[in-house]
Amino acid sequence: EAQVTQNPRYLITVTGKKLTVTCSQNMNHEYMSWYRQDPGLGLRQIYYSMNVEVTDKGDVPEGYKVSRKEKRNFPLILESPSPNQTSLYFCASSLSAGGGQPQHFGDGTRLSIL
Amino acid sequence: QKEVEQDPGPLSVPEGAIVSLNCTYSNSAFQYFMWYRQYSRKGPELLMYTYSSGNKEDGRFTAQVDKSSKYISLFIRDSQPSDSATYLCAMLADAGGTSYGKLTFGQGTILTVHP
């Protein structure tokens, strides 16, 4: 089954404790992206990757890091999480960035930073 | 001003009603228009996809895009309780734009269809 898989689905942690949210897709997609969803603000892009070893900032990259060492994986790293990063996070992928390819989303990771 | 404006609702309708959801936008570079449906505790699921202006129909769902007015709509006919979800409009600029591959979303409209 074609899917985008995120782990963990839920995480409660404390300020300053490094964490990684994993994202994996099995569709051989080139383009992958991270979004956060907040009430009243909708979904906003954090980082994206157009292919292996090619990443760039989205609209709200502060406090986050990403890497793309393999085509299928695109982890999101919070080196020193803070309470304002408490949010619902989604990973998405599409065949490519161009040509208006629709993006497919994972089921989300709810992070609470205390 | 946000690039994409969507009335967050909530919207509550009886089963069988026709539902109209709308978004307006300001960025004339948007060429691809999508509607996603998001159930509670799930990720957004692509519902409708339209390129440029025009209409597209898929079963009970019809998407309309009017680029001259920068206005898009989603109509749901014969609405069902299973349609209860948050509906998100999303837009994508042309491949040559600076926002390469980035979906810009509306806030989402919460829809409840009651039996």
Side-chain angles (χ1 to χ4, degrees), chain A residues 77-114:
Chain A
I77 303 156
L78 285 71
E79 293 265 358
S80 183
S82 63
N84 65 10
Q85 293 177 298
T86 292
S87 187
L88 181 57
Y89 291 85
F90 289 101
C91 180
S93 73
S94 63
L95 200 58
S96 65
Q101 296 291 330
Q103 293 181 23
H104 303 268
F105 285 79
D107 279 338
T109 295
R110 185 168 291 282
L111 283 183
S112 294
I113 315 293
L114 306 177

Side-chain angles (χ1 to χ4, degrees), chain A residues 9-10 31 35 37 40-43 45 48 50 59 88 90 97-108, chain B residues 2 32 34 36 38 41-46 49 86 88 92-93 95 98 100-108:
Chain A
R9 293 289 314 278
Y10 304 91
Y31 185 87
Y35 295 85
Q37 187 175 34
L41 297 175
L43 280 142
Q45 191 183 54
Y48 66 93
M50 290 172 58
D59 292 327
L88 181 57
F90 289 101
Q101 296 291 330
Q103 293 181 23
H104 303 268
F105 285 79
D107 279 338
Chain B
K2 294 179 182 176
Y32 305 94
M34 301 158 210
Y36 284 84
Q38 185 177 17
R41 296 187 178 84
K42 300 289 280 184
E45 164 196 19
L46 183 66
Y49 174 91
T86 298
L88 301 153
L92 199 56
T98 56
Y100 204 56
K102 185 188 80 170
L103 280 173
T104 302
F105 286 87
Q107 284 189 64

Side-chain angles (χ1 to χ4, degrees), chain A residues 25 28-32 49-51 68 71 94-96:
Chain A
Q25 51 91 6
N28 202 35
H29 284 172
E30 289 186 350
Y31 185 87
M32 297 186 74
S49 170
M50 290 172 58
N51 214 326
R68 187 95 180 270
K71 198 171 188 179
S94 63
L95 200 58
S96 65

